[in-house]
Amino acid sequence: MNNQEILEIALLQSALDLNCRPEDLQAKEHKVVASVSRPGARIYLKLPFGCNLVSYGSNVTASVRPGLEGIVGGYLAGRRPEECFETPAVHELDRLLAPYGLRSRYMAEYFLPDAQATRPQPCLLEVRILTPAELAGLYLPQWSNALCFKRKEADMLAAAAYDGRRLAGLAGCSADCETMWQIGVDVLPQYRRQGIAAALTSRLACEILERGKVPFYCAAWSNIGSVRNALQSGFRPAWCELGASPIQ
């Protein structure tokens, strides 16, 4: 796959998640659509959304529950895409959503592989590819980013770094939808800052691409280490999301 094909697959999936058209995500003007629960959406999403904002850079597409179209449309109006995800604007969004029992809960940046840059990085340790059957005994707290404890059946592959017989790092991928597998990675503290995370992430990304799926990677903006790992592994920023959910 080339970069355009990878992007088009991501746009199709986002459109399915948000209940919009792929072209809405690259329009010049902001879009507001009604959120519905649709087959094929990413399995971890809680649909329908209360309010979910997505930007691929040119605009913001908001998927909202009925009755919020005007409220959220007014929030987006006149703001550049990046402003909609920044404070103090997000505080204004929370003020607008509070009467409806909603509040912003998470913000994250998503990365897609650059077909020209995604190559297996060198590793000081032995790297092995593990199948689902080999993951059964690895659902432990130290591998909570690499493996999906709540949805074990979604875990497809893992790249593991071994220091002798000791597992030092693990990158796993979950089939969060039909076409895209999400990568998560963990490295034991004493093995960090040695390039192991990038070696595992890049190797796993290549394995996923070879299987005809698109790997993607998610990181909080504040998680500098995770963002650096994405970039070093050949991933590039693709879209961002802000989600609001019921106040608890």
Side-chain angles (χ1 to χ4, degrees):
M1 281 182 278
N2 59 39
N3 286 342
Q4 184 59 35
E5 290 169 331
I6 289 170
L7 176 61
E8 288 175 358
I9 289 171
L11 288 168
L12 283 169
Q13 185 60 48
S14 289
L16 181 59
D17 297 339
L18 298 172
N19 190 38
C20 68
R21 303 172 301 168
E23 54 265 36
D24 291 337
L25 295 157
Q26 294 188 308
K28 293 182 179 179
E29 68 279 358
H30 300 315
K31 301 285 184 178
V32 181
V33 298
S35 178
V36 299
S37 181
R38 298 179 65 181
R42 282 175 286 163
I43 58 176
Y44 58 84
L45 297 178
K46 295 181 179 179
L47 296 174
F49 293 121
C51 174
N52 200 66
L53 310 184
V54 172
S55 178
Y56 276 78
S58 60
N59 77 335
V60 176
T61 300
S63 185
V64 303
R65 77 186 190 196
L68 290 179
E69 295 89 346
I71 296 293
V72 176
Y75 169 74
L76 298 176
R79 287 191 167 100
R80 298 191 304 274
E82 62 272 19
E83 288 182 291
C84 300
F85 296 84
E86 298 174 344
T87 54
V90 174
H91 296 318
E92 172 66 11
L93 178 63
D94 281 341
R95 185 187 68 79
L96 294 169
L97 294 178
Y100 301 90
L102 298 173
R103 182 169 57 197
S104 58
R105 289 287 181 182
Y106 68 88
M107 290 186 284
E109 187 171 16
Y110 289 81
F111 299 77
L112 291 172
D114 181 340
Q116 305 304 314
T118 304
R119 300 288 184 273
Q121 300 295 313
C123 188
L124 296 174
L125 303 179
E126 177 192 4
V127 176
R128 306 176 198 165
I129 298 300
L130 306 181
T131 63
E134 296 171 292
L135 300 176
L138 299 179
Y139 287 88
L140 303 169
Q142 60 266 41
W143 313 123
S144 60
N145 289 311
L147 299 177
C148 185
F149 286 41
K150 294 181 180 179
R151 297 178 297 276
K152 296 180 182 179
E153 68 281 358
D155 288 332
M156 297 288 105
L157 287 173
Y162 285 89
D163 183 3
R165 299 182 62 181
R166 184 179 194 185
L167 181 59
L170 186 69
C173 62
S174 59
D176 291 341
C177 54
E178 175 61 29
T179 57
M180 302 178 70
W181 293 0
Q182 182 170 193
I183 294 177
V185 62
D186 292 291
V187 177
L188 295 181
Q190 61 268 43
Y191 292 96
R192 292 173 187 169
R193 298 183 180 274
Q194 300 178 43
I196 294 171
L200 295 176
T201 302
S202 60
R203 173 69 183 276
L204 188 57
C206 292
E207 294 282 342
I208 295 169
L209 287 166
E210 288 178 4
R211 288 162 173 76
K213 306 295 183 180
V214 172
F216 71 106
Y217 186 102
C218 175
W221 291 310
S222 57
N223 193 338
I224 302 301
S226 187
V227 172
R228 285 176 175 166
N229 178 56
L231 298 176
Q232 187 176 349
S233 302
F235 284 78
R236 302 293 179 259
W239 79 94
C240 61
E241 297 192 18
L242 184 156
S245 58
I247 298 171
Q248 299 177 351

mmCIF file of all heavy atoms in Angstrom, residues 190-213:
data_model
loop_
_atom_site.group_PDB
_atom_site.id
_atom_site.type_symbol
_atom_site.label_atom_id
_atom_site.label_comp_id
_atom_site.label_asym_id
_atom_site.label_seq_id
_atom_site.Cartn_x
_atom_site.Cartn_y
_atom_site.Cartn_z
ATOM 1 N N GLN A 190 13.770 -1.052 32.976
ATOM 2 C CA GLN A 190 15.230 -1.172 32.881
ATOM 3 C C GLN A 190 15.724 -1.341 31.443
ATOM 4 O O GLN A 190 16.934 -1.278 31.188
ATOM 5 C CB GLN A 190 15.732 -2.323 33.753
ATOM 6 C CG GLN A 190 15.199 -3.696 33.400
ATOM 7 C CD GLN A 190 13.941 -4.041 34.167
ATOM 8 O OE1 GLN A 190 13.038 -3.219 34.314
ATOM 9 N NE2 GLN A 190 13.875 -5.267 34.655
ATOM 10 N N TYR A 191 14.798 -1.538 30.494
ATOM 11 C CA TYR A 191 15.189 -1.718 29.089
ATOM 12 C C TYR A 191 14.805 -0.524 28.209
ATOM 13 O O TYR A 191 14.971 -0.582 26.993
ATOM 14 C CB TYR A 191 14.542 -2.982 28.528
ATOM 15 C CG TYR A 191 15.081 -4.262 29.124
ATOM 16 C CD1 TYR A 191 14.424 -4.878 30.182
ATOM 17 C CD2 TYR A 191 16.232 -4.859 28.629
ATOM 18 C CE1 TYR A 191 14.907 -6.059 30.739
ATOM 19 C CE2 TYR A 191 16.724 -6.043 29.163
ATOM 20 C CZ TYR A 191 16.058 -6.633 30.225
ATOM 21 O OH TYR A 191 16.541 -7.802 30.772
ATOM 22 N N ARG A 192 14.300 0.531 28.817
ATOM 23 C CA ARG A 192 13.857 1.683 28.033
ATOM 24 C C ARG A 192 15.041 2.526 27.563
ATOM 25 O O ARG A 192 16.148 2.388 28.043
ATOM 26 C CB ARG A 192 12.874 2.522 28.858
ATOM 27 C CG ARG A 192 11.553 1.799 29.105
ATOM 28 C CD ARG A 192 10.637 2.524 30.048
ATOM 29 N NE ARG A 192 9.468 1.692 30.359
ATOM 30 C CZ ARG A 192 8.589 1.958 31.316
ATOM 31 N NH1 ARG A 192 8.737 3.038 32.071
ATOM 32 N NH2 ARG A 192 7.573 1.141 31.529
ATOM 33 N N ARG A 193 14.761 3.386 26.592
ATOM 34 C CA ARG A 193 15.751 4.290 25.997
ATOM 35 C C ARG A 193 16.893 3.525 25.311
ATOM 36 O O ARG A 193 18.023 3.983 25.269
ATOM 37 C CB ARG A 193 16.309 5.270 27.045
ATOM 38 C CG ARG A 193 15.241 6.181 27.644
ATOM 39 C CD ARG A 193 15.839 7.171 28.620
ATOM 40 N NE ARG A 193 14.810 8.036 29.182
ATOM 41 C CZ ARG A 193 14.365 9.156 28.639
ATOM 42 N NH1 ARG A 193 14.872 9.562 27.470
ATOM 43 N NH2 ARG A 193 13.431 9.887 29.216
ATOM 44 N N GLN A 194 16.553 2.382 24.778
ATOM 45 C CA GLN A 194 17.529 1.590 24.033
ATOM 46 C C GLN A 194 17.036 1.267 22.619
ATOM 47 O O GLN A 194 17.613 0.432 21.935
ATOM 48 C CB GLN A 194 17.845 0.286 24.782
ATOM 49 C CG GLN A 194 18.437 0.492 26.170
ATOM 50 C CD GLN A 194 18.681 -0.827 26.884
ATOM 51 O OE1 GLN A 194 19.171 -1.792 26.301
ATOM 52 N NE2 GLN A 194 18.333 -0.878 28.167
ATOM 53 N N GLY A 195 15.953 1.914 22.205
ATOM 54 C CA GLY A 195 15.405 1.689 20.874
ATOM 55 C C GLY A 195 14.534 0.454 20.750
ATOM 56 O O GLY A 195 14.130 0.089 19.635
ATOM 57 N N ILE A 196 14.223 -0.186 21.872
ATOM 58 C CA ILE A 196 13.447 -1.429 21.814
ATOM 59 C C ILE A 196 12.008 -1.166 21.391
ATOM 60 O O ILE A 196 11.446 -1.913 20.567
ATOM 61 C CB ILE A 196 13.511 -2.160 23.167
ATOM 62 C CG1 ILE A 196 14.947 -2.619 23.439
ATOM 63 C CG2 ILE A 196 12.552 -3.347 23.200
ATOM 64 C CD1 ILE A 196 15.172 -3.171 24.833
ATOM 65 N N ALA A 197 11.392 -0.117 21.916
ATOM 66 C CA ALA A 197 10.008 0.187 21.551
ATOM 67 C C ALA A 197 9.877 0.421 20.052
ATOM 68 O O ALA A 197 8.955 -0.085 19.398
ATOM 69 C CB ALA A 197 9.510 1.403 22.337
ATOM 70 N N ALA A 198 10.804 1.201 19.486
ATOM 71 C CA ALA A 198 10.748 1.481 18.052
ATOM 72 C C ALA A 198 11.011 0.226 17.233
ATOM 73 O O ALA A 198 10.393 0.011 16.182
ATOM 74 C CB ALA A 198 11.744 2.577 17.685
ATOM 75 N N ALA A 199 11.926 -0.608 17.699
ATOM 76 C CA ALA A 199 12.208 -1.851 16.978
ATOM 77 C C ALA A 199 10.972 -2.741 16.935
ATOM 78 O O ALA A 199 10.642 -3.321 15.883
ATOM 79 C CB ALA A 199 13.374 -2.580 17.638
ATOM 80 N N LEU A 200 10.270 -2.851 18.055
ATOM 81 C CA LEU A 200 9.081 -3.703 18.111
ATOM 82 C C LEU A 200 7.923 -3.090 17.323
ATOM 83 O O LEU A 200 7.219 -3.793 16.586
ATOM 84 C CB LEU A 200 8.677 -3.922 19.568
ATOM 85 C CG LEU A 200 9.672 -4.697 20.429
ATOM 86 C CD1 LEU A 200 9.194 -4.760 21.874
ATOM 87 C CD2 LEU A 200 9.895 -6.096 19.877
ATOM 88 N N THR A 201 7.718 -1.776 17.494
ATOM 89 C CA THR A 201 6.609 -1.109 16.806
ATOM 90 C C THR A 201 6.781 -1.176 15.297
ATOM 91 O O THR A 201 5.841 -1.485 14.559
ATOM 92 C CB THR A 201 6.505 0.349 17.273
ATOM 93 O OG1 THR A 201 6.325 0.387 18.694
ATOM 94 C CG2 THR A 201 5.329 1.045 16.608
ATOM 95 N N SER A 202 7.972 -0.877 14.821
ATOM 96 C CA SER A 202 8.216 -0.884 13.376
ATOM 97 C C SER A 202 8.118 -2.291 12.799
ATOM 98 O O SER A 202 7.564 -2.487 11.709
ATOM 99 C CB SER A 202 9.576 -0.265 13.065
ATOM 100 O OG SER A 202 10.630 -0.983 13.694
ATOM 101 N N ARG A 203 8.647 -3.277 13.516
ATOM 102 C CA ARG A 203 8.572 -4.656 13.036
ATOM 103 C C ARG A 203 7.118 -5.105 12.949
ATOM 104 O O ARG A 203 6.694 -5.728 11.956
ATOM 105 C CB ARG A 203 9.359 -5.573 13.970
ATOM 106 C CG ARG A 203 9.222 -7.061 13.681
ATOM 107 C CD ARG A 203 9.891 -7.487 12.394
ATOM 108 N NE ARG A 203 9.679 -8.907 12.130
ATOM 109 C CZ ARG A 203 10.419 -9.892 12.646
ATOM 110 N NH1 ARG A 203 11.448 -9.600 13.444
ATOM 111 N NH2 ARG A 203 10.162 -11.151 12.338
ATOM 112 N N LEU A 204 6.339 -4.784 13.973
ATOM 113 C CA LEU A 204 4.940 -5.189 13.972
ATOM 114 C C LEU A 204 4.167 -4.463 12.876
ATOM 115 O O LEU A 204 3.304 -5.054 12.218
ATOM 116 C CB LEU A 204 4.320 -4.920 15.343
ATOM 117 C CG LEU A 204 2.904 -5.458 15.564
ATOM 118 C CD1 LEU A 204 2.839 -6.967 15.332
ATOM 119 C CD2 LEU A 204 2.424 -5.119 16.973
ATOM 120 N N ALA A 205 4.459 -3.189 12.661
ATOM 121 C CA ALA A 205 3.791 -2.444 11.595
ATOM 122 C C ALA A 205 4.034 -3.106 10.243
ATOM 123 O O ALA A 205 3.111 -3.225 9.424
ATOM 124 C CB ALA A 205 4.282 -1.005 11.580
ATOM 125 N N CYS A 206 5.252 -3.537 9.995
ATOM 126 C CA CYS A 206 5.567 -4.210 8.728
ATOM 127 C C CYS A 206 4.822 -5.533 8.600
ATOM 128 O O CYS A 206 4.328 -5.880 7.517
ATOM 129 C CB CYS A 206 7.066 -4.425 8.616
ATOM 130 S SG CYS A 206 8.029 -2.914 8.424
ATOM 131 N N GLU A 207 4.721 -6.271 9.700
ATOM 132 C CA GLU A 207 3.982 -7.529 9.684
ATOM 133 C C GLU A 207 2.505 -7.298 9.361
ATOM 134 O O GLU A 207 1.880 -8.070 8.621
ATOM 135 C CB GLU A 207 4.113 -8.236 11.041
ATOM 136 C CG GLU A 207 5.517 -8.704 11.390
ATOM 137 C CD GLU A 207 5.913 -9.978 10.667
ATOM 138 O OE1 GLU A 207 5.012 -10.688 10.169
ATOM 139 O OE2 GLU A 207 7.126 -10.263 10.601
ATOM 140 N N ILE A 208 1.942 -6.226 9.908
ATOM 141 C CA ILE A 208 0.534 -5.910 9.657
ATOM 142 C C ILE A 208 0.326 -5.533 8.196
ATOM 143 O O ILE A 208 -0.620 -5.997 7.539
ATOM 144 C CB ILE A 208 0.079 -4.768 10.593
ATOM 145 C CG1 ILE A 208 0.122 -5.230 12.058
ATOM 146 C CG2 ILE A 208 -1.330 -4.299 10.234
ATOM 147 C CD1 ILE A 208 -0.049 -4.103 13.063
ATOM 148 N N LEU A 209 1.195 -4.689 7.670
ATOM 149 C CA LEU A 209 1.080 -4.279 6.271
ATOM 150 C C LEU A 209 1.197 -5.472 5.331
ATOM 151 O O LEU A 209 0.499 -5.552 4.312
ATOM 152 C CB LEU A 209 2.145 -3.238 5.946
ATOM 153 C CG LEU A 209 1.910 -1.834 6.533
ATOM 154 C CD1 LEU A 209 3.175 -0.995 6.429
ATOM 155 C CD2 LEU A 209 0.748 -1.149 5.823
ATOM 156 N N GLU A 210 2.072 -6.409 5.662
ATOM 157 C CA GLU A 210 2.228 -7.606 4.836
ATOM 158 C C GLU A 210 0.954 -8.440 4.799
ATOM 159 O O GLU A 210 0.719 -9.193 3.844
ATOM 160 C CB GLU A 210 3.384 -8.456 5.354
ATOM 161 C CG GLU A 210 4.755 -7.857 5.071
ATOM 162 C CD GLU A 210 5.885 -8.686 5.645
ATOM 163 O OE1 GLU A 210 5.594 -9.776 6.212
ATOM 164 O OE2 GLU A 210 7.047 -8.267 5.529
ATOM 165 N N ARG A 211 0.114 -8.295 5.815
ATOM 166 C CA ARG A 211 -1.146 -9.026 5.872
ATOM 167 C C ARG A 211 -2.295 -8.242 5.256
ATOM 168 O O ARG A 211 -3.454 -8.643 5.357
ATOM 169 C CB ARG A 211 -1.454 -9.411 7.323
ATOM 170 C CG ARG A 211 -0.542 -10.517 7.848
ATOM 171 C CD ARG A 211 -0.548 -10.597 9.363
ATOM 172 N NE ARG A 211 0.199 -11.750 9.859
ATOM 173 C CZ ARG A 211 1.521 -11.845 9.910
ATOM 174 N NH1 ARG A 211 2.265 -10.812 9.512
ATOM 175 N NH2 ARG A 211 2.118 -12.923 10.356
ATOM 176 N N GLY A 212 -1.986 -7.111 4.637
ATOM 177 C CA GLY A 212 -3.004 -6.334 3.945
ATOM 178 C C GLY A 212 -3.855 -5.463 4.846
ATOM 179 O O GLY A 212 -4.905 -4.964 4.416
ATOM 180 N N LYS A 213 -3.419 -5.236 6.075
ATOM 181 C CA LYS A 213 -4.134 -4.376 7.009
ATOM 182 C C LYS A 213 -3.333 -3.093 7.232
ATOM 183 O O LYS A 213 -2.123 -3.040 6.984
ATOM 184 C CB LYS A 213 -4.345 -5.086 8.348
ATOM 185 C CG LYS A 213 -5.028 -6.437 8.240
ATOM 186 C CD LYS A 213 -6.446 -6.335 7.722
ATOM 187 C CE LYS A 213 -7.123 -7.704 7.705
ATOM 188 N NZ LYS A 213 -8.525 -7.649 7.208
#
